[in-house]
Amino acid sequence: INDIMKLMQVSQPTSLRVKTSFPSDSLPLSQQLANHYSKLNVMDWSQSHRLWLENLVMQKRVFSIFLCLLVVVALFSLVANLSMLVTEKRSEIAVMKTMGASNSFIIRVFIYKGLILSTLGMLLGVSMGYWIVSNMNEISSQIELMLGIKFFSQTLWPIDFVPTKMVWSELYTMLSLTVLFTIIFAYFPARRAANIMPAKALSYEA
């Protein structure tokens, strides 16, 4: 910048446009420029597209509600699968109890199974989600090219890139709540399995 000012014989830049490698780097860079050149009017893309960003924040809240509903549906599906497993394994559970397995052991078995299923689902979902977020621009452009449609209209999406940012604190919170609710929801079919009477279950099998 100093070399350009000497070449143009000016005391400070009249205008300057800087493009960063990542959209999220524009805000700290604009702050550094504003601090270094106090008389310079610095504006980053988030300020020039303020209304668009406010709309994006509202969309994020709506999608957060949808995400919570999806988690609840997945938990109910987990309960249904564990309940079906209890029904199918009544005789095996009865045999385990006749061999000395306690109710707490039976409950732990089913809770561990629920945690394994939910953990596999979370690992798969987080991995796919991170890959999609990291390559959003390339994926959207390829789909647009194959289908011949335009996802991001210039009137609704006034920038030529999709700014993405992983908020790890939100991800950790969501995963922790999912694990907690998995334990709570898995407890009910696990309790049902623990309440199976060995004599009654084995008599039905006979």
Side-chain angles (χ1 to χ4, degrees):
I1 294 176
N2 292 327
D3 293 337
I4 295 174
M5 287 191 299
K6 291 179 181 179
L7 179 64
M8 302 299 295
Q9 297 181 354
V10 293
S11 59
Q12 64 179 12
T14 55
S15 63
L16 182 67
R17 183 175 182 178
V18 180
K19 185 175 182 179
T20 59
S21 301
F22 300 97
S24 57
D25 295 337
S26 61
L27 182 58
L29 180 60
S30 63
Q31 293 175 348
Q32 292 178 8
L33 290 173
N35 294 332
H36 190 70
Y37 301 99
S38 58
K39 296 182 180 180
L40 190 66
N41 184 18
V42 181
M43 179 181 294
D44 66 323
W45 70 271
S46 62
Q47 294 172 334
S48 58
H49 299 92
R50 182 176 55 84
L51 295 178
W52 176 81
L53 283 175
E54 291 178 357
N55 184 34
L56 195 64
V57 171
M58 183 185 66
Q59 293 179 18
K60 179 185 176 183
R61 292 172 182 170
V62 174
F63 279 109
S64 298
I65 296 174
F66 286 141
L67 178 61
C68 293
L69 293 177
L70 285 174
V71 171
V72 172
V73 171
L75 290 174
F76 276 112
S77 176
L78 177 66
V79 172
N81 289 330
L82 290 178
S83 299
M84 291 177 60
L85 184 65
V86 171
T87 303
E88 293 174 359
K89 303 294 183 181
R90 285 178 62 89
S91 59
E92 287 84 350
I93 296 171
V95 171
M96 290 176 61
K97 296 190 73 172
T98 56
M99 295 176 64
S102 61
N103 289 343
S104 61
F105 176 79
I106 301 295
I107 291 175
R108 288 199 303 271
V109 168
F110 280 87
I111 290 180
Y112 289 158
K113 184 174 181 61
L115 286 174
I116 291 173
L117 291 175
S118 63
T119 301
L120 290 175
M122 286 188 293
L123 288 175
L124 182 61
V126 170
S127 301
M128 291 183 61
Y130 182 78
W131 178 77
I132 292 174
V133 168
S134 301
N135 302 277
M136 177 65 73
N137 293 320
E138 292 79 5
I139 294 174
S140 60
S141 60
Q142 289 296 325
I143 295 177
E144 289 175 356
L145 184 62
M146 287 188 299
L147 301 180
I149 58 177
K150 191 71 175 176
F151 283 129
F152 305 110
S153 174
Q154 290 297 323
T155 56
L156 300 176
W157 205 275
I159 55 179
D160 57 353
F161 59 88
V162 181
T164 56
K165 180 182 180 182
M166 290 290 294
V167 184
W168 295 104
S169 58
E170 295 181 1
L171 178 62
Y172 295 149
T173 301
M174 197 67 190
L175 293 179
S176 301
L177 290 176
T178 303
V179 171
L180 176 62
F181 283 114
T182 298
I183 296 174
I184 295 174
F185 276 66
Y187 176 80
F188 298 103
R191 187 65 184 176
R192 179 187 165 197
N195 290 334
I196 291 177
M197 302 300 294
K200 190 174 181 180
L202 293 176
S203 65
Y204 284 144
E205 290 293 327

